[in-house]
Amino acid sequence: FPAVNEQAHLEQLIQNLMECQNIETSVTKFQRHFCIGFKLKIFGKSSWMSGFGPFSFLPPTRQTPFTGVVVRVKDTPKYDVEIKKTASDTLHVANILLPQMDAKQFKKTGDMTYKTTTKILGHKANLLSAAKTTFAIPENLISINLRERLLA
């Protein structure tokens, strides 16, 4: 969503996603932020939507030049090795198949990913940066209109 480059545009995108029929919304307050999570209902399962954008209030691991949403839209194949166990009714973007890697390399890559994320954030991932949070917006920056919609 390259046109979503201001907070007002991001809030409009969030409100539009809240109105989508196949998207479920969750809202959690954490560390003075509204953590807004969207799950796409697909294949009778839930797929967490991870949001990114050019907003300084997003965790560093979520800051990108353009606003975007990443969501898994393929069913999860059966894996010999998984980086992180996922419930059978959940799809997750981290569930990827890398057939060129053996199990040891795959696990090492997963471990390095977690270590790199921790280094970038300065702490272990939490609700502000977790996959189940699409966008985390500080309470003091969120508009009254969106706040009311989220708390309704």
Side-chain angles (χ1 to χ4, degrees):
F1 306 99
V4 178
N5 54 14
E6 296 177 13
Q7 185 173 333
H9 300 148
L10 177 62
E11 289 193 10
Q12 185 59 58
L13 173 63
I14 289 168
Q15 290 186 57
N16 290 345
L17 290 170
M18 290 175 72
E19 294 172 10
C20 291
Q21 204 170 353
N22 291 330
I23 295 178
E24 188 177 292
T25 305
S26 64
V27 180
T28 305
K29 289 175 87 175
F30 178 77
Q31 293 185 354
R32 297 187 190 126
H33 285 70
F34 279 91
C35 296
I36 305 156
F38 293 114
K39 285 193 290 188
L40 175 66
K41 297 295 187 178
I42 188 168
F43 306 120
K45 297 182 178 188
S46 297
S47 185
W48 290 107
M49 300 170 68
S50 297
F52 301 85
F55 306 101
S56 62
F57 57 79
L58 292 177
T61 54
R62 294 295 191 93
Q63 293 181 21
T64 55
F66 299 101
T67 299
V69 176
V70 175
V71 61
R72 184 175 184 89
V73 294
K74 291 175 66 174
D75 206 357
T76 306
K78 298 292 181 218
Y79 296 112
D80 294 334
V81 180
E82 293 179 80
I83 291 175
K84 185 177 181 182
K85 287 282 185 197
T86 304
S88 62
D89 64 344
T90 303
L91 302 175
H92 194 293
V93 296
N95 289 339
I96 57 174
L97 186 59
L98 299 171
Q100 69 276 18
M101 286 189 186
D102 64 26
K104 186 176 178 180
Q105 289 175 301
F106 189 76
K107 175 143 180 33
K108 184 177 179 181
T109 300
D111 291 345
M112 286 306 299
T113 299
Y114 286 112
K115 287 178 184 173
T116 301
T117 298
T118 299
K119 185 176 180 180
I120 291 168
L121 293 173
H123 54 79
K124 287 190 175 192
N126 58 28
L127 193 57
L128 299 177
S129 58
K132 63 182 166 182
T133 298
T134 310
F135 294 107
I137 303 177
E139 287 180 17
N140 65 327
L141 296 181
I142 204 160
S143 72
I144 293 170
N145 182 37
L146 182 56
R147 180 187 304 260
E148 288 174 355
R149 294 266 329 257
L150 294 172
L151 296 174

